[in-house]
Amino acid sequence: MVNLEMSNDVTVTLPRIEERIPTVVVDDAHVVYRVYRGSAGNTSPVAAFKRLITRTNTPNVREVHAVRGVSFTAYRGEAIGLIGTNGSGKSTLLRAIAGLLPVERGAVYTQGQPSLLGVNAALLNDLPGERNVTIGCLAMGMSPADVRRKLPEIIEFSGINQRGDFASLPMRTYSSGMSARLRFSIAAAKQHDVLLIDEALATGDKAFRKRSERRVRELRESAGTVFLVSHQLSSVRDTCERTIWLESGEIRMDGPTREVLAAYEAFTNGK
Amino acid sequence: MANLLADPDSGLTPAQLAARHGLRVAGERPTIGAYSGQLWRYRHFISAYAHAKLTASFSNARLGQLWQVLTPLSNAAVYFLIFGVVLEQTRNMPNFIAYLTTGVFIFNFTQVSLQQGTQAISGNLGLIRALHFPRACLPLAITATQFQQLLGSIVVLLIIVVATGEPITLMWLMLVPAVLLQTVFNAGLTMAMARLGAKATDLKQVMPFILRAWMYGSGVLYSVTLFAENLPGWATGIVQFNPMLVYIELARISLLENTHLLNDSLPLTWLIALGWAVVAGLGGYFYFWRGEQEYGRG
């Protein structure tokens, strides 16, 4: 087991004594997804009828080749930052690792079932926060007894009760920061083999960000692997010791966070 | 940086490395046995989710869960006004009110399950993309919710049946297996609709017509003897095998002492009911499982 103090250098120079255990192996993965353009295509009844007769579907569907041949191996106990400009394929790559998008070519191997945590992951907005915690935890496969035990802890961690009793109000009354915090707290309550975080730490106030960064570190220490997609380089710097820089769906750089961030900052400033 | 070796230390290719440490291909579909096991472990999630959906659907209404019985009751009242009073279906028909409400409530169970089933995947994309659980939980939760609704309706139904002068008999107990078979039938069909609705977004527009036609073919609103009187023999034969007609007839046999039936033989009716439950239940489950890895994509 790689210990935390060492891990900053371990990826660079130190010879490894113990064999590292891979948790995610991405082998030359290509992800192509299809977008239904909806109103952008010709949607007049005549055109739709013509498509139906000729059995073509093309004018409405566009293919986007979002990830082009990405290969890397992630190990147990690593926290990996994924950075890149907008549309570089970061979120798509995460969804492929989570098994939510199929790879067109290549393969993604994972240990256990990776969990993807994104800001847009809505639960049930008509229900109180507490209920959402219960349902979310059960959906992650916890037993009802575990859920009862963890419920106060999760509410406490999310800090939604700091401004009065919000836990019993429907989630639609929450501010966007509050609901993002609650969602993160739910997902972080369980021990994941692989946790994929998509911009979730960016929302929420500073106090919560500190708490969640600490939680990510805990998760990683207890033998998990954490992926973090973020545009906030500071949170990548604080949580990850390894960073992968994606550009137009290809890996531009993969290495220690400090070096990759320096190169990335030079690249974005130069533009 | 397209390196052939995934791990410089061991000199293995990515696939070999993955195999050596027991990693699996992301998003792989489990076998149907493993899937059923997962589903069983998620039973608490299904019931919690079903209960939550039920409360949520009434959370904005002032009368709350009272709508659970008010909705079918007002439906029955409208149909009674049209078919009982205006069109005078009540002629030579014993206890038309109970006959009608039984049909409306039983059909409503399937109708709403299917309508919501088409949305089971497409309406829960947020949940599906965020968390991993066997997706069959969602259509099953819909069936469970509607089953709870039905129990409320059945209480109202029993009151109507007694109030319209039917005796309380042991035959009432037959309602239990009849409703259970219908629930299995609904669960399978709801799962099939969920998969269809996840891809074919036009289905939502088509469903009302299909369900309307199905309702007219199930003898909900008028005497079922009209089928035998007005349809050619082969068509009546088809209608006799209509699962909804069969489930409604079973409910009517158990609750009403003297009523119009299309199927004369009770054992045959049970056999058809059982057959549909098995075929739809297993078929729907299998069909839904086949698409498991597609849900939430695109």
Side-chain angles (χ1 to χ4, degrees), chain A residues 191 211 213-224:
Chain A
Q191 194 51 251
R211 269 210 304 280
E213 279 164 11
R214 203 174 330 129
R215 182 79 187 112
V216 168
R217 266 195 292 276
E218 281 169 24
L219 284 173
R220 201 182 54 175
E221 279 164 42
S222 49

Side-chain angles (χ1 to χ4, degrees), chain A residues 134-145:
Chain A
T134 312
I135 290 172
C137 288
L138 287 172
M140 291 191 300
M142 286 191 197
S143 74

Side-chain angles (χ1 to χ4, degrees), chain A residues 253-270:
Chain A
M253 207 171 165
D254 176 1
T257 298
R258 218 174 320 128
E259 292 172 23
V260 177
L261 286 189
Y264 179 69
E265 271 167 343
F267 172 78
T268 43
N269 290 339

Side-chain angles (χ1 to χ4, degrees), chain A residues 65-117:
Chain A
H65 199 156
V67 173
R68 307 154 184 262
V70 167
S71 299
F72 65 88
T73 308
Y75 296 91
R76 201 174 260 193
E78 272 188 324
I80 301 176
L82 275 177
I83 55 169
T85 45
N86 283 339
S88 55
K90 308 181 293 286
S91 299
T92 311
L93 182 59
L94 278 199
R95 291 180 58 193
I97 296 173
L100 295 168
L101 271 177
V103 286
E104 191 84 1
R105 254 177 298 146
V108 177
Y109 306 94
T110 59
Q111 185 179 59
Q113 180 57 71
S115 304
L116 174 62
L117 169 69

Side-chain angles (χ1 to χ4, degrees), chain A residues 48-70:
Chain A
F49 192 66
K50 203 165 137 194
R51 276 202 299 278
L52 209 62
I53 299 289
T54 55
R55 287 185 171 268
T56 51
N57 212 8
T58 31
N60 229 1
V61 182
R62 233 173 74 184
E63 292 195 341
V64 180
H65 199 156
V67 173
R68 307 154 184 262
V70 167

